[in-house]
Amino acid sequence: MSQRVRGVIAREKGKPVEVATIVVPDPGPGEAVVKIQACGVCHTDLHYREGGINDEFPFLLGHEAAGVVEAVGAGVTDVAPGDFVVLNWRAVCGNCRACHKGKPWYCFATHNAAQRMTLEDGTELSPALGIGAFVEKTLVHAGQCTKVDPSARAAAVGLLGCGVMAGIGAAINTGGVTRGDSVAVIGCGGVGDGAVAGAALAGATTIIAIDTDDRKLEWARGFGATHTINAREHDVVEKVRELTGGFGADVVVEAVGRPETYRQAFYARDLAGTVVLVGVPTPEMTIELPLLDVFGRGGALKSSWYGDCLPTRDFPLLTELYRQGRLDLDAFVTEEIALDEVEQAFAKMHTGDVLRSVVIF
């Protein structure tokens, strides 16, 4: 029997979101219904509302979530009813060329639930990132459910489902940060602070946080930044070099996704250093760099997809570090809100007042 639950939808481009009744079907083969306990409000959800991802309205928003599996469909063996899970938006297929090469974090054939959730009138919904978790219960592919320790706080570990994992993974998985490294992070929102925290976990000794907002720079210090730079007051490249013996950082994580900050990242790294782009650009953005500088500076220019994470490997590990007090996921949760406060949470993003608003069910 299908279920009717409350959820947040974006019905039209640029219009305020609304709470509506969502019809959730029983799980089919390979699918699971998850009772959501907490879901973070991510910038990607706002991009969906603004039509920045695609125009497949109406959208069921929300994707950064944790909850309990309520029911599973035929053939599901990795999770069972009662399991506490963090949802992920890259369910690995196991059969594509990336998976066969032993690099499943690059999986080129990730998948979602085959069925669609709908409005009461039968209108099909497009779930944000294949999840749609601003809802009391959601339907996902079972591969999008990763079991973690059930004693963990849902509001905290749910953030591993997107932004925090993207940042931690950008530093550790993509950037390869290791002990003794110098790291600069440009942009200190949820993703950037995740990169700061990841660099600290990996043993970096110099961690430079860069932003235009002093509040965000102070938050970054709480996650492990050893130095901060206000980009409105200093030349970023010169200041990073000054803080790294004149050389530049071993790894620079660009968590903004703009040409001007990417250029800063490119020139703020040491020779043979690494630039990691984890900030998401818009389609019209371009960048021009002297090809001789690209060649002459060596190193690597990388993009980080979801922190190049493998949920089955990374989510349980990071949850355990959180439980041990070694990764302060609670500090990313600025406020806990109700389902009907998502629109107000979007407004707070523009003013920089929050790292994460988290919907609690």
Side-chain angles (χ1 to χ4, degrees):
M1 294 288 291
S2 61
Q3 302 183 67
R4 282 163 170 74
V5 296
R6 296 170 68 244
V8 172
I9 66 167
R11 196 179 293 272
E12 297 179 61
K13 179 178 179 179
K15 297 295 180 63
V17 300
E18 59 185 89
V19 177
T21 298
I22 312 299
V23 179
V24 182
D26 284 343
E31 296 175 342
V33 170
V34 178
K35 181 177 174 59
I36 302 299
Q37 294 182 341
C39 184
V41 182
C42 176
H43 273 87
T44 302
D45 295 304
L46 181 57
H47 290 326
Y48 272 104
R49 193 199 74 174
E50 296 301 306
I53 306 295
N54 58 54
D55 60 357
E56 296 174 7
F57 290 89
F59 292 109
L60 175 59
L61 300 181
H63 59 278
E64 204 174 61
V68 175
V69 175
E70 181 179 84
V72 298
V76 175
T77 58
D78 289 341
V79 293
D83 285 342
F84 179 60
V85 296
V86 175
L87 300 184
N88 73 79
W89 47 269
R90 288 182 61 81
V92 171
C93 77
N95 292 309
C96 71
R97 60 194 187 279
C99 290
H100 283 311
K101 289 178 180 178
K103 298 178 179 180
W105 49 89
Y106 291 142
C107 179
F108 301 135
T110 57
H111 41 270
N112 304 316
Q115 301 182 86
R116 286 289 186 101
M117 291 173 279
T118 69
L119 297 175
E120 286 188 291
D121 64 4
T123 301
E124 289 191 347
L125 295 166
S126 299
L129 291 177
I131 293 178
F134 287 153
V135 65
E136 293 165 328
K137 297 178 184 180
T138 193
L139 176 77
V140 294
H141 192 281
Q144 295 178 273
C145 302
T146 305
K147 289 190 291 186
V148 298
D149 193 304
S151 68
R153 178 187 174 208
V157 295
L159 301 185
L160 295 174
C162 189
V164 173
M165 182 70 254
I168 293 174
I172 297 176
N173 297 335
T174 314
V177 174
T178 189
R179 57 191 180 277
D181 275 351
S182 57
V183 179
V185 178
I186 302 177
C188 296
V191 175
D193 280 344
V196 169
L201 274 176
T205 48
T206 300
I207 304 172
I208 306 165
I210 302 160
D211 205 286
T212 58
D213 187 329
D214 284 331
R215 294 174 301 173
K216 291 185 177 181
L217 293 174
E218 192 58 35
W219 290 342
R221 283 194 177 273
F223 291 107
T226 58
H227 303 80
T228 60
I229 299 172
N230 188 315
R232 294 189 188 278
E233 301 173 0
H234 300 279
D235 182 295
V236 168
V237 175
E238 288 184 2
K239 194 67 176 176
V240 170
R241 289 179 179 171
E242 177 186 321
L243 294 170
T244 54
F247 302 117
D250 296 308
V251 179
V252 183
V253 177
E254 203 278 43
V256 180
R258 296 192 58 83
E260 56 268 34
T261 45
Y262 188 86
R263 177 177 283 272
Q264 289 174 335
F266 180 82
Y267 286 107
R269 66 183 174 129
D270 196 358
L271 289 173
T274 298
V275 173
V276 177
L277 175 64
V278 67
V280 182
T282 54
E284 75 280 1
M285 290 179 178
T286 61
I287 188 166
E288 183 175 312
L289 290 168
L291 191 56
L292 184 60
D293 284 357
V294 175
F295 173 79
R297 298 186 66 81
L301 307 178
K302 296 184 175 184
S303 297
S304 186
W305 301 345
Y306 201 1
D308 290 341
C309 79
L310 186 59
T312 53
R313 175 194 66 194
D314 294 337
F315 289 7
L317 169 63
L318 295 174
T319 298
E320 183 57 26
L321 292 176
Y322 164 67
R323 291 183 63 254
Q324 294 174 7
R326 297 165 62 189
L327 174 61
D328 189 3
L329 295 176
D330 290 317
F332 286 93
V333 182
T334 309
E335 62 173 2
E336 297 182 357
I337 63 173
L339 191 62
D340 59 4
E341 295 178 286
V342 169
E343 186 65 33
Q344 296 95 306
F346 285 152
K348 291 176 183 177
M349 285 181 179
H350 289 300
T351 58
D353 291 333
V354 294
L355 274 180
R356 273 297 186 270
S357 303
V358 179
V359 177
I360 301 297
F361 292 87

